[in-house]
Amino acid sequence: MTVGQIMVVCGICLVLVAVLLAVVGCVLLHKKKKMVLLEIEHEYRLESRKRNIKYCAAYYSDIGIQKETNQDSLLLVQRGQTQDDEAVLAVICDGVGGLKMGERSSAAVVTAFRDWFDERVEELYEQEEPETELFDDWDNLIQSLHIRLKDYSEKAGFRSGTTVEAVLFMKGRYYICHVGDCRTYIISDTLTQLTTDHTIVQRELTEGKLTPEQARKDSRQSLLLQCVGAGKDVKPDYLSGEVLPHRTFLICCDGFRRKVTEAEIKKSCRYSSREKKLHEALEETAQLCMKRKETDNITGILISAVREKKGLFPLWKKATQTAGKKVIKDILLEHSTPADKIL
């Protein structure tokens, strides 16, 4: 092999080595970028759990055009945990219409959640990861209420029960306890239903036995698979997720949404940072339901997540954040009389 040929071979080898080094460098760079992105995502998720969010909330409940009693009960508690952050608990319980004295059962459950909030939310708020303990709390509460309501009804000689839709907003996240056919939605540019109805119609829809159109017209829409206080067992659904600013949450009973379309709910129940606007949206939707001959009670809660604006004096805010623990709202609306109390 001549000197020239050797030099050519060496040149080719150098080129191959350079290419190999470039490929290795690209792979390492890609891995480094991926690690940086994962680290950023992790930091974002950690930060989101510390996100300071304030809320604007409103409620509305109407007996409707036919019922003699409003069997819906609701709870709306809003408390400042720090100068910039709030905890909100919203609960709607719809006394089961096919059973007796549903207003008593629904009142008992919202009252129990109100007591739970006073006793436990402060301790849970201080935890970095409260979800497991929170859902354990709620499950114990639901199971206890189920047994106590059943015992009371059996001794009184009738059956009574209620649905439960409880949503806690805390430290940039939402937590849901769901039994029955009340619903929770998120409203932004779209309308997203977070919960799944515990009804015969929903089960058959899930199994493919009904089309969505057939389900909307099915006369069995109110037939529940489970409720608190009646039936052998109760198995709530538990859900959680991140709260993003400028999103609105709708918690409502079946009477609030049966006669209106999702497009109409999205249009009327838009985001607002003004309580009056949210209340007007709920009332407007309820009136539309009654105009279309909805015969059930009608109850809804709207909660908008409002990002806290950065102040001019962040150090002052930090120094005074422990002064923020104050009650902003404490609404417990139920329709049983003192003589009706069962728990």
Side-chain angles (χ1 to χ4, degrees), residues 41 43 85 169 175 182 206 208-209 241 255 258 265 319 326 328 337:
E41 182 180 358
E43 290 295 326
D85 196 23
F169 299 88
Y175 306 91
C182 290
T206 302
K209 296 178 180 178
R258 213 163 24 210
I265 292 176
K326 63 177 182 179
I328 300 166
T337 64

Side-chain angles (χ1 to χ4, degrees), residues 96-194:
V96 179
L99 305 179
K100 191 175 181 181
M101 300 295 181
E103 69 275 10
R104 296 187 184 184
S105 294
S106 65
V109 174
V110 295
T111 301
F113 269 91
R114 174 67 175 77
D115 294 340
W116 172 87
F117 184 89
D118 281 345
E119 294 171 5
R120 292 286 290 142
V121 78
E122 192 68 38
E123 181 179 344
L124 290 169
Y125 186 85
E126 297 302 322
Q127 296 184 18
E128 187 69 28
E129 300 284 351
E131 182 172 311
T132 299
E133 189 169 341
L134 167 62
F135 287 159
D136 284 345
D137 268 14
W138 279 359
D139 201 60
N140 291 334
L141 181 63
I142 291 293
Q143 301 305 328
S144 174
L145 287 165
H146 185 63
I147 293 170
R148 292 161 66 192
L149 288 172
K150 280 183 66 177
D151 288 347
Y152 173 85
S153 298
E154 289 171 1
K155 290 175 182 177
F158 60 80
R159 297 176 70 230
S160 182
T162 182
T163 67
V164 179
E165 195 76 3
V167 187
L168 175 67
F169 299 88
M170 187 171 68
K171 298 175 75 171
R173 294 187 67 77
Y174 65 81
Y175 306 91
I176 299 175
C177 172
H178 168 76
V179 180
D181 61 354
C182 290
R183 291 180 180 177
T184 299
Y185 296 91
I186 293 181
I187 304 168
S188 56
D189 294 334
T190 59
L191 178 75
T192 303
Q193 181 181 332
L194 296 177

Side-chain angles (χ1 to χ4, degrees), residues 7-24:
M7 292 182 65
V8 169
V9 171
C10 290
I12 293 173
C13 290
L14 288 174
V15 170
L16 291 174
V17 169
V19 170
L20 181 61
L21 288 174
V23 170
V24 171

Side-chain angles (χ1 to χ4, degrees), residues 73-93:
S73 298
L74 71 80
L75 174 69
L76 180 56
V77 184
Q78 182 177 2
R79 188 169 71 191
Q81 293 298 121
T82 69
Q83 186 73 19
D84 302 323
D85 196 23
E86 296 173 355
V88 181
L89 176 63
V91 184
I92 290 180
C93 293

